[in-house]
Amino acid sequence: MKLVHLSDTHVGRGDNAARLQALLDDISTLGDPADHLIIHTGDLGDSGSPQTMQQSRALLDGMVDKGWRILLSPGNHDCGDAWHVDPQCAALFQDHFSSYLFGRAPKQYPVLTLTADCALIGLDSNAAEMSWWERWAAEGYLGQVQIAALGMLLDRAEVRQRKRIVYLHHHPFLDAFAVRADVGDRNYLSHLLGWNTRRFRRLKDAYSLMQTVRDRVDVLLFGHQHLGLDYSAEGQRYGIPLALDGSSSTGTQMDTDRMRYRIIDTRLGTYATRSVAFPV
Ligand SMILES: [Fe+2]
Ligand SMILES: [Fe+2]
């Protein structure tokens, strides 16, 4: 099985709808959809507005019509915006993207999808961010109930005998570096804001998550920080061979403006990164 990892496409901002379409067109050329599974780790849209949801859903539906399977985890932008999540938005998003978030599984997190050789587990890192004082800043929180349920899922025989893939939106590792503003970059204010608010975009219960998944997961996929780095060295501290930040696949807010996605071979435990030019 090959996993195609996309993240943070932020449809609704700039030309990201056309960019996502170009990425999906490229994915269509990879081969037999039956050998692949697309995982989108959230911030599919830039906001939780009904128009954005319709626009991004139409793009995903186009792939499903061609036989591709897509799994999705909700991002903070899908459930509100960069600064807060909104319970109404989250409910609307869950409704609108139910088939991508849950497939045929019950409508609750963690979501388990089994294929012949993989057990894929989706988490909602906005789930416990709904109380008014927790809602501010784009932090993520899984909550004890969800983490306990994840622990129980990982114990199940049908999960243990497969490759185990956990996917969520928020970044489970500590702050990473980013290119700082320099003399040639005039976006001083946005860099200043981005850099200094990075600590407020963390997954608050990352420690509990990593204690639960240690030595029990083969691939950990996430997004949110738009850095696109390979965190396997961090993951391996917890016995997780592959830990990958999906970046912003459409190139949103990246100093390199580089569209890309990853193709992960779950059998070999290897991956390749594919760059896509835009405009094509
Ligand atoms: Fe994002
Ligand atoms: Fe995000």
Side-chain angles (χ1 to χ4, degrees), residues 8-10 13 42-43 76-77 169 223-226 248 253:
D8 293 79
T9 46
H10 289 267
R13 182 192 297 177
D43 284 358
N76 52 299
H77 279 259
H169 180 62
H224 188 54
Q225 296 268 25
H226 298 203
S248 168
Q253 283 184 324

Side-chain angles (χ1 to χ4, degrees), residues 80 89 116 132:
C89 252
W132 67 269

Side-chain angles (χ1 to χ4, degrees), residues 165-180:
I165 294 100
V166 169
Y167 59 98
L168 73 160
H169 180 62
H170 284 81
H171 205 287
F173 299 115
L174 291 175
D175 290 354
F177 74 89
V179 175
R180 305 289 292 265

Side-chain angles (χ1 to χ4, degrees), residues 222-233:
F222 46 91
H224 188 54
Q225 296 268 25
H226 298 203
L227 293 171
L229 298 176
D230 179 337
Y231 283 87
S232 301

